Amino acid sequence: MRVTRELAEQLGMTESSRRAVSSGVVYQIYPRSFRDTSGDGVGDLPGIAAGVAHLERLGVDGVWLSPIHPSPMADFGYDVADYTDVDPLFGTLADLDRLVAELGERDISLLLDWVPNHTSDRHAWFEASRSSRDDPRRDWYVWRDPAPDGGPPNNWTRHFADEPAWTFDEHTGQYYLHLFLPQQPDLNWANEGVRDAMVGVLRFWLERGVAGFRADVVHLIGKDAALADDPPERIGVPRAGFHDEEITHTYLGQIRDVLDEYEATMVGEVNLPDAARVVRYVGDDRLPMAFYFGLLYAPWERDTWRDVLAYAYTHFDGADAWPVWALGNHDTPRQVTRYGSLARARAAAVVLLTLRGTPFLYAGEELGLADAEVPEDRVVDPGGRDGCRAPIPWDASPTRGWPTADPWLPWPPDTDDHNVAAQEADPDSTLHLYRRLIAARRDSSALALGWFELLDGTADVLSYRRWLDGDERHVHVNFSDEPRDIAAPAGTVVVSTERHREGAPFTGHLGTTEALVVRPTP
Ligand code: TEU
């Protein structure tokens, strides 16, 4: 739902919230896996353009692309070697321009992935930086002398392995910091040249008509100059889960000024477990919005979901911040795999698409995909995340609508039923459930913009209401694998995981793992 300035004013929304809401429902594409046109078994930009009709029918308002820039692919694009170009694997700048136009014609905006914390070790900035201690780019990265024993400068642990976050550079005799792979050196945001260069990167893409960005691990960019040791209980814990420095908010202020010039948006990946910390990254002088991953990491348990929602809204509503929710992404096993059943994944989708906050979908979840089983000899990701990155099946043919039957990763399971064409043909499919949910959200100001309040519900059933002015919806989710009857206000079923119930009166009965949206009787 697009929110004009006038409507935002009427509703008393902050500018940050208005811009966040305006991106509606966002669909994440992992470009390697969406659709291939070149025949090399890796998805590409013309492939995404060929798939826009699917996005339009789904009804999404925005698309976020995981990185498409030139990269040695040590972390599959999250190691950027050039921020202002497109990797030939994915196509050309002209392909990107065409995609922006194709999406724009359908009123879908494009968000790129901006990776501000680190570059590739093959980026020209890092090659210069490591060439000599006197190079003007030396200070663009975080270099430190060895500890007195010759070991790393502090006890920080990197991601993806229980190893130091430092690599020694023989040539210049110092260590450089990398919170992720050694091929992903951390930039030094304390250096003004780095900040200006990154602003230049944002401008480059905003000038080309991009609507905004997803900012990769943006909470990591500020570093305390002392780089003090972690306390003993944190040794071995990668920093991305707790690193939280005040100075980052100042850097985000400079970023926000640029976004504001273009009326652009940004969603920060602030991977902190405490919503109270995450909201501090959101506001009119910092990020327009930030992911909150409380539900992404929650097991399929009614009490846990209830607690996460209660705590999150206390902090987000309390700070007048608009949350961003996701149940899947390219780093996390898919919902069907995590919860252990398609029925639960479908019920979870009802929650995702009826929350207060912007929902992000991960390509393939609308098809009910599970993770691919990746045999050992085909494992490619250093972080063990290949399963959720399997290619999207477009039909049931041997090549699943791709030019090759053997793409870069194995297919997900059950592609006979779980492909775009088959799901399209079956009105009871997960794809149609997602479409009905997105349409219901668009049709109801209570669902799109309204307030959130938990209702009492019965054990095993999560119940909440959304409302705005005269519009109201109730959501009931049966977390148990048996039917449940609850005492709830009567109304009409608007959307259900059991399609045959839609349009019928709601009397408090919920089938096995059923989730539904009710318009209460006034
Ligand atoms: O992810 C950050 C992050 O915290 C993840 O490493 C996550 O904790 C892990 O994957 C769980 O298995 C972002 C990107 O989404 C990820 O793909 C990149 O690898 C990472 O940053 C480095 O850029």
Side-chain angles (χ1 to χ4, degrees):
M1 178 173 287
R2 310 270 158 187
V3 183
T4 59
R5 279 185 199 286
E6 295 71 51
L7 177 56
E9 251 163 54
Q10 267 175 37
L11 298 173
M13 293 171 89
T14 61
E15 173 60 13
S16 279
S17 296
R18 182 187 77 83
R19 228 178 283 168
V21 177
S22 299
S23 41
V25 177
V26 182
Y27 184 90
Q28 180 196 354
I29 289 181
Y30 196 65
R32 300 180 73 89
S33 296
F34 191 67
R35 195 165 173 157
D36 176 23
T37 57
S38 71
D40 62 359
V42 176
D44 45 41
L45 294 176
I48 298 171
V52 291
H54 173 63
L55 307 179
E56 187 179 24
R57 285 196 292 263
L58 187 56
V60 299
D61 308 274
V63 166
W64 150 35
L65 300 187
S66 280
I68 51 164
H69 308 302
S71 165
M73 304 284 168
D75 190 14
F76 294 96
Y78 286 93
D79 48 328
V80 178
D82 179 354
Y83 286 93
T84 53
D85 205 349
V86 171
D87 195 291
L89 193 61
F90 298 125
T92 62
L93 274 174
D95 291 328
L96 198 273
D97 292 341
R98 268 192 292 275
L99 179 60
V100 171
E102 290 266 347
L103 290 168
E105 275 169 31
R106 291 158 177 88
D107 220 7
I108 300 175
S109 44
L110 183 70
L111 310 184
L112 289 183
D113 210 314
W114 175 56
V115 186
N117 179 65
H118 42 266
T119 68
S120 161
D121 63 342
R122 308 287 289 279
H123 195 294
W125 300 340
F126 189 69
E127 286 180 345
S129 185
R130 82 185 315 176
S131 69
S132 130
R133 288 199 190 199
D134 303 324
D135 189 273
R137 295 255 195 273
R138 183 66 171 182
D139 185 49
W140 280 39
Y141 293 83
V142 185
W143 291 97
R144 290 287 187 281
D145 286 332
D149 68 354
N154 72 17
N155 65 4
W156 292 7
T157 305
R158 75 167 174 91
H159 257 268
F160 309 139
D162 190 6
E163 284 173 11
W166 298 91
T167 289
F168 186 66
D169 179 59
E170 296 281 347
H171 176 59
T172 56
Q174 285 189 311
Y175 281 87
Y176 66 88
L177 177 70
H178 52 88
L179 295 182
F180 292 86
L181 299 174
Q183 298 94 318
Q184 292 168 295
D186 278 46
L187 283 161
N188 175 22
W189 272 73
N191 182 299
E192 199 184 344
V194 168
R195 299 198 298 273
D196 291 347
M198 278 302 187
V199 162
V201 167
L202 298 179
R203 282 189 195 284
F204 177 88
W205 293 109
L206 292 168
E207 289 291 335
R208 295 188 99 92
V210 157
F213 305 87
R214 174 265 192 185
D216 188 62
V217 285
V218 74
H219 61 303
L220 301 182
I221 61 177
K223 309 267 178 358
D224 169 37
L227 298 178
D229 272 342
D230 283 332
E233 68 274 14
R234 282 203 161 139
I235 295 177
V237 182
R239 281 195 76 83
F242 61 88
H243 184 99
D244 189 16
E245 296 287 341
E246 228 26 60
I247 186 70
T248 300
H249 304 308
T250 309
Y251 300 150
L252 290 176
Q254 185 186 357
I255 299 305
R256 181 54 182 264
D257 290 343
V258 184
L259 296 174
D260 284 352
E261 270 180 54
Y262 294 84
E263 289 236 359
T265 193
M266 181 175 278
V267 53
E269 187 203 17
V270 178
N271 209 340
L272 297 171
D274 188 347
R277 306 302 301 183
V278 176
V279 294
R280 303 190 60 252
Y281 288 76
V282 182
D284 284 343
D285 63 349
R286 41 198 82 183
L287 293 169
M289 51 178 167
F291 282 105
Y292 180 57
F293 290 141
L295 290 181
L296 181 72
Y297 301 138
W300 185 247
E301 289 165 6
R302 182 264 202 183
D303 289 355
T304 309
W305 282 52
R306 228 183 123 83
D307 292 349
V308 167
L309 292 172
Y311 188 74
Y313 286 117
T314 300
H315 290 285
F316 275 89
D317 289 351
D320 206 359
W322 183 258
V324 177
W325 300 101
L327 295 180
N329 61 31
H330 63 294
D331 293 333
T332 317
R334 286 186 177 279
Q335 292 91 303
V336 175
T337 303
R338 250 176 25 238
Y339 306 141
S341 83
L342 178 60
R344 291 174 180 177
R346 287 166 57 104
V350 173
V351 180
L352 176 65
L353 289 163
T354 58
L355 287 178
R356 174 177 170 82
T358 298
F360 271 57
L361 311 177
Y362 175 53
E365 71 172 78
E366 81 281 17
L367 308 175
L369 292 184
D371 277 15
E373 289 206 18
V374 183
E376 218 168 302
D377 62 340
R378 294 202 57 187
V379 167
V380 287
D381 177 47
R385 301 162 294 185
D386 293 324
C388 64
R389 298 176 177 181
I392 302 294
W394 288 82
D395 60 38
S397 71
T399 64
R400 277 79 165 178
W402 285 52
T404 160
D406 196 23
W408 75 290
L409 280 174
W411 300 106
D414 306 327
T415 54
D416 279 352
D417 295 326
H418 297 280
N419 68 65
V420 176
Q423 295 270 312
E424 182 85 50
D426 172 9
D428 289 317
S429 69
T430 303
L431 175 59
H432 284 280
L433 173 65
Y434 271 75
R435 281 191 197 163
R436 297 197 304 277
L437 286 166
I438 293 171
R441 187 176 175 98
R442 183 167 284 179
D443 288 348
S444 158
S445 54
L447 288 181
L449 300 170
W451 297 102
F452 173 98
E453 185 180 66
L454 287 166
L455 297 171
D456 275 348
T458 318
D460 297 330
V461 178
L462 172 72
S463 294
Y464 52 85
R465 78 180 184 109
R466 302 285 317 279
W467 78 99
L468 191 72
D469 300 331
D471 190 35
E472 180 156 347
R473 295 289 183 276
H474 295 175
V475 177
H476 305 286
V477 185
N478 181 3
F479 274 70
S480 87
D481 295 331
E482 282 164 33
R484 286 283 181 266
D485 287 285
I486 59 170
T492 308
V493 177
V494 181
V495 184
S496 167
T497 48
E498 305 297 327
R499 190 174 60 95
H500 64 269
R501 298 197 60 189
E502 295 176 4
F506 179 65
T507 54
H509 181 74
L510 289 161
T512 302
T513 324
E514 183 176 6
L516 42 71
V517 185
V518 174
R519 187 192 307 112
T521 311

